[in-house]
Amino acid sequence: MRVSLFITCLADQLYPEVGESVVRLLHRYGCEVDFPQMQTCCGQPAYNSGYQDEAREVARNLIRAFEHSDYVVSPSGSCTGMVHHYYPQLFENEPEWKAKAEKLIGKTYEFSQFLVHVLGVKDLGAVHESKATYHPSCHAMRLLGVREEPGELLAHIKGLELVELPRKEDCCGFGGTFAVKMADMSEAMVCEKAANVCVTNVDLLIGTDMGCLMNIGGRLNKENKPVRVMHLAQLLEEGVKRGERHGK
């Protein structure tokens, strides 16, 4: 199975280790992974700021980058959601590009979606003896409908005690440009989210979007709270390595 990695801006620039974990896990299940060099942003920041013409140009580039890919996998529900939900609107008056966008949508998956629904994998043999809570990102839930998949993967990690996050579906306040344009409101939201994480008394905060994790993790760090923040792919890869050591 040939898979192209859609890395996203945040993972590319700030958290490349997340992309590395995704690739190593896909290799583990027989995927041949490539990385189209011409990929850039999905266009979400421009789109959310009202610059639709500029967003269209960026979207065209992304469509071209993955034109020949069999599958496209991303460690972000937000960027995947942009492709799935907003590309048809961007190209509503351009039939040729709308058709190309629909083709990209049909083969583009968020990481946990791809593992569960395409590879049919829920139990990776991971072991991670820790206490964790999971923050579901807004776009993964509301734009993609990714609700059960991360939980199914987490449930099969041996030794992991999963604690439900209070008010888990509340936004963390990041929202990309929202955090810049409405900083005071964003700060209030992330303070509330961080407080809810602390109530769980966990070792780990797990998520599927580095935007959310960067925001919440930054707040936790500012408050000197000893909670490790990890993308789901990082946790799974770390758990797989521990599982292999235990097996030996």
Side-chain angles (χ1 to χ4, degrees):
M1 185 179 291
R2 294 188 304 164
V3 177
S4 295
L5 177 66
F6 170 25
I7 190 59
T8 80
C9 300
L10 278 179
D12 182 43
Q13 297 296 318
L14 299 175
Y15 303 101
E17 63 275 12
V18 173
E20 292 169 357
S21 290
V22 169
V23 171
R24 284 191 283 262
L25 288 171
L26 292 177
H27 281 163
R28 180 181 176 85
Y29 288 95
C31 296
E32 179 185 333
V33 185
D34 63 32
F35 183 83
Q37 292 292 321
M38 69 181 291
Q39 65 175 289
T40 56
C41 180
C42 66
Q44 185 174 175
Y47 182 82
N48 288 346
S49 298
Y51 296 101
Q52 295 209 1
D53 290 340
E54 289 80 359
R56 263 186 288 274
E57 285 306 305
V58 176
R60 286 190 183 97
N61 182 73
L62 197 75
I63 290 170
R64 293 188 192 101
F66 295 112
E67 187 174 4
H68 302 294
S69 301
D70 292 341
Y71 291 95
V72 179
V73 176
S74 173
S76 167
S78 181
C79 298
T80 306
M82 173 67 189
V83 173
H84 275 251
H85 195 75
Y86 293 114
Y87 274 24
Q89 296 179 27
L90 275 176
F91 298 110
E92 189 174 7
N93 298 318
E94 299 182 37
E96 180 182 350
W97 279 101
K98 185 174 182 180
K100 290 180 178 181
E102 295 287 0
K103 184 178 179 182
L104 176 61
I105 289 167
K107 59 186 179 183
T108 300
Y109 294 83
E110 181 271 333
F111 171 68
S112 69
Q113 269 187 325
F114 188 76
L115 280 184
V116 173
H117 297 302
V118 179
L119 295 182
V121 175
K122 295 182 182 179
D123 187 350
L124 284 75
V127 174
H128 210 292
E129 294 180 355
S130 51
K131 188 176 179 182
T133 193
Y134 170 71
H135 164 70
S137 70
C138 297
H139 284 178
M141 284 192 302
R142 295 175 175 88
L143 298 186
L144 289 178
V146 175
R147 292 180 176 271
E148 306 300 328
E149 295 88 342
E152 290 174 329
L153 292 163
L154 290 169
H156 285 90
I157 300 177
K158 294 177 178 63
L160 186 70
E161 180 184 351
L162 195 61
V163 181
E164 185 165 335
L165 181 64
R167 300 179 64 91
K168 62 183 180 181
E169 296 196 6
D170 287 0
C171 178
C172 75
F174 180 59
T177 56
F178 173 80
V180 177
K181 294 177 179 178
M182 307 188 76
D184 290 344
M185 187 179 296
S186 175
E187 183 179 9
M189 293 168 74
V190 76
C191 284
E192 183 177 41
K193 178 64 71 170
N196 285 331
V197 171
C198 292
V199 164
T200 62
N201 194 32
V202 295
D203 310 309
L204 305 175
L205 170 64
I206 309 302
T208 57
D209 265 284
M210 287 315 303
C212 303
L213 292 176
M214 178 178 69
N215 193 38
I216 305 168
R219 188 69 213 179
L220 291 169
N221 184 60
K222 189 173 183 177
E223 296 179 3
N224 295 314
K225 303 298 184 183
V227 180
R228 185 182 177 195
V229 175
M230 299 180 76
H231 189 280
L232 175 63
Q234 292 175 290
L235 177 68
L236 289 171
E237 190 201 8
E238 198 170 283
V240 165
K241 289 178 179 178
R242 292 184 183 186
E244 289 173 346
R245 288 198 296 269
H246 282 212
K248 291 177 182 178

